[in-house]
Amino acid sequence: MKLLKILNTIAIGLPIILALLGLFDNGMFLYALLSTMATGFIQVVIGILLWIKEKQNQFIIGYLTGVLLFFIGIHFTSITTLWILPPILCIYLSLIIYTQKA
């Protein structure tokens, strides 16, 4: 669990650090945007790993359900308000990771 906490912290911190560096070099903003996709991928992998470890945890199942609904939603609809879900899911998974006992 400690490794997942460290990985999640890096995944969340990287876009923030790159965006701050973008204040000095505009090209870093593009890298910050691209790294948010990596953050999403890393968090989905973390969610799956947590689910494999604890299949009965309702919070993790809820997170993975939210991820699945997000991808289904963007595939079958053109609702632009769905883009609010990734930050919410990011915060939700982080709360799960940091509040669970190791």
Side-chain angles (χ1 to χ4, degrees):
M1 184 62 93
K2 186 175 182 177
L3 179 63
L4 293 179
K5 287 181 183 181
I6 292 169
L7 185 60
N8 189 56
T9 302
I10 291 170
I12 292 173
L14 184 62
I16 295 169
I17 290 169
L18 291 174
L20 290 174
L21 289 175
L23 297 174
F24 304 106
D25 179 12
N26 285 337
M28 298 305 283
F29 284 126
L30 176 64
Y31 294 122
L33 288 173
L34 291 174
S35 68
T36 58
M37 289 187 287
T39 298
F41 176 75
I42 291 169
Q43 285 209 322
V44 169
V45 169
I46 289 172
I48 292 170
L49 291 174
L50 284 173
W51 178 70
I52 290 171
K53 182 180 173 189
E54 302 178 31
K55 289 193 188 282
Q56 300 302 321
N57 189 326
Q58 296 299 314
F59 297 114
I60 297 168
I61 293 170
Y63 168 77
L64 290 174
T65 303
V67 169
L68 186 64
L69 290 174
F70 169 72
F71 283 112
I72 289 171
I74 62 170
H75 182 71
F76 289 112
T77 67
S78 62
I79 301 172
T80 57
T81 55
L82 287 174
W83 293 104
I84 191 68
L85 280 177
I88 292 170
L89 290 169
C90 179
I91 293 167
Y92 184 63
L93 181 65
S94 296
L95 287 172
I96 292 171
I97 292 172
Y98 295 119
T99 58
Q100 270 193 341
K101 295 178 183 173

